[in-house]
Amino acid sequence: MSKAWLVRPLPNDKNRIEEFKSSNIVAVGWPLIGDLTGKSREEIKLILQAPPYNYSSLKLGNAYATIDILVNQMSIGDLVLIPNGDDIYFAKINSNYHYEKSKDTNDEGYPHQRKVSFLAGPIARSQLPKSLRKSLKVHRATADLSKHYDTIKSLSEGNTIISTCSTYSNEFTDVEYPIRPGVVVKLSIPNNINQSEASRLSRSEERRVGKEC
């Protein structure tokens, strides 16, 4: 089953969004620890406890969890959301973990990579549903966003989803789907809608649009 991930374009505390786009990659920092191909989560932890980082406690936990996501947890076909200020980019993972030796310096600092294809976007952060925007507040450089997979997939395909809280009931949310300039479809969806119901709704909309075309 495909998943969705957050990757910040700030490996080694430098903004590399242009390098991400031009090279079709996502990456994390922590240079000077070598090739992590085949390294388990526990092995990565041990590497970070040794020089040059000598991490411990919370800093260690955040670092090895972040690296492990890119090295071991991502899969080909997974989606990636890349926030860069107010711009949100989307990509699809095309490769296994790749160690780029030429970037394994303090100056470059992003040797741990995955090849990707960039998809629709960028879009404004304000176009993300509130629940997804809230999930982006995590402080780590990578994170699992799979609970938002359907939303991220839709946005990555160029669809726009704008939702606002209902003014007449705490049990429903009004959702607006712009389908062409000047035309917006409005739906009131129960807040406790489950995945099966959401899938049926999506299929019914696809069938309706298909008939009209």
Side-chain angles (χ1 to χ4, degrees):
M1 180 178 179
S2 296
K3 294 186 175 182
W5 308 93
L6 165 73
V7 177
R8 299 190 188 282
L10 302 169
N12 216 29
D13 296 323
K14 296 180 182 179
N15 191 307
R16 297 291 187 179
I17 187 62
E18 294 304 322
E19 288 86 348
F20 279 20
K21 291 190 295 179
S22 63
S23 299
N24 287 309
I25 61 167
V26 290
V28 296
W30 292 278
L32 308 179
I33 58 174
D35 189 348
L36 299 178
T37 300
K39 301 294 186 184
S40 68
R41 182 183 178 96
E42 188 61 29
E43 288 173 318
I44 293 170
K45 180 180 178 180
L46 292 173
I47 290 169
L48 292 171
Q49 288 176 299
Y53 292 102
N54 299 305
Y55 283 166
S56 62
S57 190
L58 182 61
K59 197 169 188 178
L60 173 64
N62 285 336
Y64 80 77
T66 297
I67 299 171
D68 181 64
I69 283 177
L70 187 127
V71 173
N72 294 317
Q73 296 187 43
M74 290 179 174
S75 298
I76 294 173
D78 286 354
L79 298 178
V80 182
L81 183 153
I82 307 161
N84 183 52
D86 288 332
D87 291 331
I88 303 295
Y89 295 85
F90 302 96
K92 179 179 286 189
I93 296 173
N94 289 337
S95 78
N96 294 319
Y97 164 74
H98 169 65
Y99 170 68
E100 180 53 59
K101 188 175 182 179
S102 66
K103 306 302 179 183
D104 197 4
T105 66
N106 275 324
D107 184 54
E108 294 291 340
Y110 56 107
H112 312 296
Q113 303 181 0
R114 294 263 186 166
K115 286 288 187 181
V116 301
S117 296
F118 275 81
L119 306 173
I123 67 170
R125 185 181 291 258
S126 60
Q127 290 182 259
L128 301 179
K130 184 177 180 180
S131 60
L132 179 51
R133 291 201 306 271
K134 185 176 180 180
S135 291
L136 301 189
K137 293 181 179 180
V138 62
H139 294 298
R140 294 211 308 265
T142 64
D144 189 347
L145 296 179
S146 297
K147 67 180 180 179
H148 302 290
Y149 180 83
D150 289 342
T151 297
I152 291 171
K153 183 175 185 295
S154 182
L155 291 168
S156 74
E157 293 170 347
N159 300 315
T160 301
I161 301 175
I162 303 174
S163 62
T164 56
C165 292
S166 172
T167 58
Y168 63 88
S169 172
N170 291 327
E171 298 179 356
F172 290 83
T173 295
D174 290 340
V175 181
E176 299 181 356
Y177 292 90
I179 58 174
R180 68 172 69 97
V183 180
V184 177
V185 175
K186 296 183 178 181
L187 300 173
S188 293
I189 298 177
N191 292 333
N192 63 351
I193 189 171
N194 59 41
Q195 186 172 357
S196 175
E197 292 168 339
S199 296
R200 291 202 305 274
L201 175 63
S202 176
R203 289 196 297 270
S204 68
E205 285 299 302
E206 290 174 357
R207 288 195 296 268
R208 182 185 62 80
V209 172
K211 290 179 180 178
E212 290 180 353
C213 293

